Amino acid sequence: MQYRIIGETMPAVEVLFEAAGEGMYTQSGGMAWMTEGIEMTTNTKGGFMRGLGRVMAGESLFMATYRAQRPKALIAFASTVAGRVLPVNVGVNGGLICQKGAFLCAQETVDLKITFTKKFSAGLFGGEGFILQDLSGKGMAFLEIDGDMVEKNLGPGEVLKVDTGNVVAFERTVSYEIETVKGLGNIFFGGEGLFLTRLTGPGRVVLQTQNIAEFAGRIARFIPSSK
């Protein structure tokens, strides 16, 4: 397969299948357009329990697989909010851990499953959920970035504290936990929430400048409520 990222404000990845039998999968509703010669199948991909795990991680119970029936068939998967689409070669550096909602699509040779933070309490109270997405196997996957992308390469023992909603993905060598904001004044009047994500190197970290949950909360303030 070949691919190209198109668009700037609301980008998409356009995939050209070079041979019949090549396929991509995405969460239900992720496809934007396609040419003739592509067959779609829908299933839980890995069984009901794995599908249920994806629901807990912010994805769909069912995944849609699109397989080329002839060479040179083309399909596109579009992002849901303004930002970027990040191509990831999953076989490099042993895979990637992603925040929920980051997955857009991937080749069938890429495995998507849930994983847990080491501290159950961290995810339970951390706002973004203790369930993350684990990308493994080989092949290309594509992630959604909300807003602009920022990359950090942490050295051994180097710590980066991030608002949880601004984390996109990180390498397996990076440890991940949630810590509480210190100080009652900061908690009640700081406006930054109760928790921060603590990432400890070594390894690569991908961040996004927009926190979609916070953005949605601000929009909600302007929606009239019925009384």
Side-chain angles (χ1 to χ4, degrees):
M1 55 157 276
Q2 299 180 19
Y3 72 89
R4 64 170 183 155
I5 308 298
I6 56 177
E8 296 181 0
T9 304
M10 297 286 290
V13 54
E14 201 171 56
V15 175
L16 179 67
F17 296 121
E18 295 183 328
E22 292 184 330
M24 297 281 292
Y25 70 94
T26 183
Q27 60 180 330
S28 181
M31 191 275 297
W33 61 82
M34 62 182 176
T35 62
E36 291 186 322
I38 295 177
E39 181 183 61
M40 171 186 171
T41 58
T42 304
N43 54 51
T44 56
K45 195 170 180 64
F48 177 78
M49 293 306 297
R50 181 168 288 193
L52 185 60
R54 286 195 301 268
V55 171
M56 296 174 67
E59 299 293 352
S60 303
L61 173 63
F62 295 97
M63 305 294 281
T65 299
Y66 298 87
R67 188 168 291 105
Q69 301 300 297
R70 62 191 186 197
K72 305 303 181 183
L74 183 143
I75 189 169
F77 304 91
S79 58
T80 53
V81 298
R84 288 187 57 179
V85 173
L86 173 66
V88 175
N89 189 339
V90 177
V92 177
N93 298 326
L96 205 64
I97 306 298
C98 306
Q99 188 57 275
K100 66 177 184 179
F103 176 78
L104 178 59
C105 61
Q107 288 182 281
E108 292 186 276
T109 51
V110 174
D111 188 29
L112 174 68
K113 60 184 178 181
I114 63 170
T115 187
F116 297 83
T117 60
K118 293 181 180 179
K119 293 184 179 180
F120 181 86
S121 60
L124 186 62
F125 300 109
E128 287 297 313
F130 64 96
I131 299 176
L132 302 170
Q133 298 174 316
D134 185 317
L135 289 173
S136 60
K138 296 182 179 180
M140 295 299 300
F142 300 88
L143 306 180
E144 289 193 57
I145 308 290
D146 300 337
D148 291 321
M149 182 180 73
V150 178
E151 290 187 79
K152 300 286 186 180
N153 288 294
L154 303 182
E158 184 178 358
V159 173
L160 183 67
K161 298 182 181 182
V162 189
D163 189 300
T164 308
N166 293 99
V167 177
V168 177
F170 47 89
E171 293 178 336
R172 297 181 189 278
T173 53
V174 176
S175 63
Y176 169 100
E177 59 183 306
I178 302 294
E179 67 176 33
T180 307
V181 173
K182 297 180 180 179
L184 290 177
N186 292 330
I187 292 174
F188 290 108
F189 307 113
E192 295 296 333
L194 296 177
F195 305 96
L196 290 174
T197 302
R198 180 186 177 95
L199 301 169
T200 305
R204 176 191 177 207
V205 174
V206 181
L207 308 174
Q208 58 191 12
T209 58
Q210 181 173 337
N211 182 329
I212 191 63
E214 181 179 307
F215 176 72
R218 294 198 177 192
I219 294 296
R221 299 175 192 174
F222 298 96
I223 300 176
S225 59
S226 58
K227 295 183 180 179

